[in-house]
């Protein structure tokens, strides 16, 4: 059973999400929050697999709440819900540790699939969309948590090649084709990369690649 919490300042929105989620046999909603502070407490108290996080909430916003939840070291992963597909808030949320984002007008099946994917450890952001986000906002927003470029020296040359390809928006299959590797080998490399750089998922690894200048923004 996948446990989910909902953080949104609009009660009708929360009710709609709850009705959809609880219509599934494998998903249960363990709580709701109407602001970021409540979301942080809810994550600590209920320890859900996934929390649906609205970005723009009064008081503590979804970005600050995401950073606190991820920084606590718990198992809860954050799925950001936003009205706009490309904006600085989405970028900031991903950098804060969110495992993905969806538009609020996404189809019901998209939301359900995203919740299940994130609960299983995947990230829910299309590679090409991640690249567009980072090209647009990397370097423009201050962040005290940018990693030391020296940490990249822990990666092998092959791992750096795989990480660069990930940051360019390539899928595992495309990386395998470019580097003449089996797709299973690519997955193994990605697992080692995540472990070495301390990233929770593919999105965080791509942000890392930009931060340590393995990849530079286009244009």
């Amino acid at each position: 059973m996948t446990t989910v919490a909902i953080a949104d300042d609009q009660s009708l929105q929360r009710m709609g999400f709850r009705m959809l989620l609880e219509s599934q046999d494998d998903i249960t909603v363990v709580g709701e929050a109407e602001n970021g502070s409540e979301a942080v407490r809810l994550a600590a108290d209920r320890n859900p697999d996934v929390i649906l996080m609205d970005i723009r909430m009064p008081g503590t916003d979804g970005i600050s709440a995401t950073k606190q939840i991820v920084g606590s070291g718990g198992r809860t992963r954050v799925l950001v819900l936003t009205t706009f597909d490309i904006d600085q808030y989405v970028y900031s949320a991903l950098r804060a540790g969110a495992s993905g984002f969806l538009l609020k007008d996404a189809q019901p099946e998209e939301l359900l699939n995203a919740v299940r994917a994130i609960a299983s450890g995947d990230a829910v952001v299309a590679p090409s969309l991640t690249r567009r986000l980072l090209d647009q906002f990397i370097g423009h927003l201050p962040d005290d948590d940018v990693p030391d470029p020296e940490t990249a020296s822990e990666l092998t040359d092959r791992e750096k090649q795989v990480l660069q390809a990930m940051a360019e928006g390539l899928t595992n299959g495309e990386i395998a084709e470019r580097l003449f590797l089996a797709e299973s080998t690519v997955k193994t490399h990605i697992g080692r990369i995540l472990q070495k750089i301390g990233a929770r998922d593919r999105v965080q690894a791509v942000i890392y690649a930009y931060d340590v200048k393995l990849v530079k923004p286009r244009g």
Side-chain angles (χ1 to χ4, degrees):
M1 182 69 72
T2 297
T3 55
V4 181
I6 303 166
D8 196 297
D9 62 334
Q10 297 184 29
S11 58
L12 284 177
Q13 191 82 71
R14 295 196 306 272
M15 182 174 67
F17 287 139
R18 177 183 279 274
M19 291 176 62
L20 172 64
L21 294 166
E22 293 194 332
S23 70
Q24 305 299 299
D25 294 336
D26 61 332
I27 297 174
T28 186
V29 176
V30 296
E32 298 180 13
E34 61 181 23
N35 58 55
S37 297
E38 290 183 6
V40 173
R41 289 194 296 270
L42 182 59
D45 293 343
R46 303 293 177 85
N47 199 26
D49 297 308
V50 179
I51 185 163
L52 305 185
M53 183 74 73
D54 185 22
I55 290 181
R56 300 180 178 109
M57 294 184 289
T60 302
D61 63 20
I63 296 170
S64 297
T66 294
K67 194 166 188 175
Q68 292 179 57
I69 291 169
V70 174
S72 72
R75 72 175 184 177
T76 301
R77 292 175 177 269
V78 178
L79 173 60
V80 168
L81 300 169
T82 180
T83 306
F84 305 102
D85 62 342
I86 297 292
D87 66 18
Q88 69 183 52
Y89 297 101
V90 172
Y91 169 77
S92 297
L94 291 175
R95 197 166 201 177
S99 293
F101 76 91
L102 283 180
L103 295 177
K104 283 192 173 183
D105 62 358
Q107 294 298 311
E109 199 61 34
E110 288 182 278
L111 177 61
L112 295 172
N113 289 339
V115 166
R116 293 183 177 107
I118 286 180
S120 69
D122 288 338
V124 182
V125 183
S128 60
L129 192 52
T130 304
R131 180 75 194 262
R132 277 204 293 147
L133 270 170
L134 296 177
D135 282 340
Q136 185 167 349
F137 295 111
I138 196 77
H140 296 289
L141 299 176
D143 194 315
D144 295 333
D145 297 326
V146 173
D148 184 343
E150 289 299 316
T151 60
S153 63
E154 299 177 12
L155 301 176
T156 66
D157 289 342
R158 178 61 88 187
E159 287 167 350
K160 288 179 181 178
Q161 291 174 338
V162 171
L163 181 53
Q164 287 170 330
M166 289 167 58
E168 290 175 22
L170 273 62
T171 64
N172 287 356
E174 291 167 340
I175 295 171
E177 184 175 350
R178 173 186 286 189
L179 300 179
F180 303 102
L181 298 171
E183 191 165 345
S184 59
T185 302
V186 171
K187 291 180 181 178
T188 298
H189 281 308
I190 291 174
R192 290 173 179 164
I193 290 167
L194 296 181
Q195 183 177 28
K196 286 184 177 181
I197 67 177
R200 296 186 77 182
D201 52 45
R202 190 186 191 100
V203 173
Q204 301 306 308
V206 171
I207 291 174
Y208 171 91
Y210 275 81
D211 282 339
V212 301
K213 311 304 186 203
L214 280 176
V215 178
K216 294 182 179 180
R218 295 174 295 190

